[in-house]
Amino acid sequence: MPSDFLAGPLFEDRLALWQGRMLEPQPTAGLFVAVSGGEMDGFAYLVPRPDGRILLDNLHARPGRTGSGIGGRLLRHALAWAATEHPGRDVCLEVLRANTRAIAFYERHGALRTDERVCLFEQGFELPEFEYTWAAGQLGVSAPR
């Protein structure tokens, strides 16, 4: 992402988004938080899309905790939740093409690349991204540990 966006409005943008999600939660969405020692280590957020799929909108591990298994545990929990709460629906996500570490993580956990496009950001820039999907039929299958 452009450095002026990262250094500028990104914090306020994310703060407004999450305040809205917390103040008016969507009843069909799922938010999962990994906590240890009283600190948040990571979180996952899923939300149904109008096209019938479930979007894994966020999956993050705290800086310094990546590579510790938190992301995999959150992902497995999120996929199991989607299979239970939204049976028969695929789970998808969008990831920037330059985010090779995340792409490798999703592919290791069984996601298949299902699209490639350019993401148009409302702030006036665009970046290439991939779409990855876990088909509804594979959600009950245990992902690698």
Side-chain angles (χ1 to χ4, degrees):
M1 293 192 166
S3 57
D4 59 334
F5 174 69
L6 293 174
L10 179 62
F11 177 78
E12 289 80 14
D13 177 67
R14 298 291 93 188
L15 181 61
L17 173 76
W18 283 101
Q19 284 176 333
R21 285 179 175 173
M22 296 296 103
L23 292 172
E24 296 180 29
Q26 193 173 101
T28 56
L31 173 62
F32 307 101
V33 179
V35 177
S36 68
E39 293 190 352
M40 183 170 70
D41 286 335
F43 69 97
Y45 181 77
L46 299 96
V47 63
R49 290 174 42 146
D51 67 6
R53 298 181 297 165
I54 306 301
L55 175 65
L56 177 59
D57 193 42
N58 295 97
L59 176 64
H60 301 285
R62 176 202 280 293
R65 300 290 287 145
T66 57
S68 68
I70 289 166
R73 287 190 298 274
L74 281 166
L75 178 60
R76 285 188 296 278
H77 186 81
L79 294 175
W81 172 85
T84 300
E85 295 297 317
H86 302 281
R89 297 171 86 177
D90 295 347
V91 174
C92 65
L93 64 87
E94 296 150 344
V95 59
L96 294 177
R97 187 172 69 191
N99 193 347
T100 55
R101 186 172 181 180
I103 289 167
F105 172 83
Y106 295 127
E107 289 179 352
R108 267 194 323 274
H109 287 84
L112 298 176
R113 187 178 302 167
T114 49
D115 200 3
E116 182 175 351
R117 57 185 165 254
V118 173
C119 180
L120 306 172
F121 290 82
E122 63 185 49
Q123 294 82 6
F125 58 92
E126 52 187 53
L127 296 169
E129 70 178 6
F130 296 132
E131 175 188 273
Y132 278 86
T133 301
W134 289 270
Q138 80 183 100
L139 294 180
V141 177
S142 182
R145 293 192 181 270

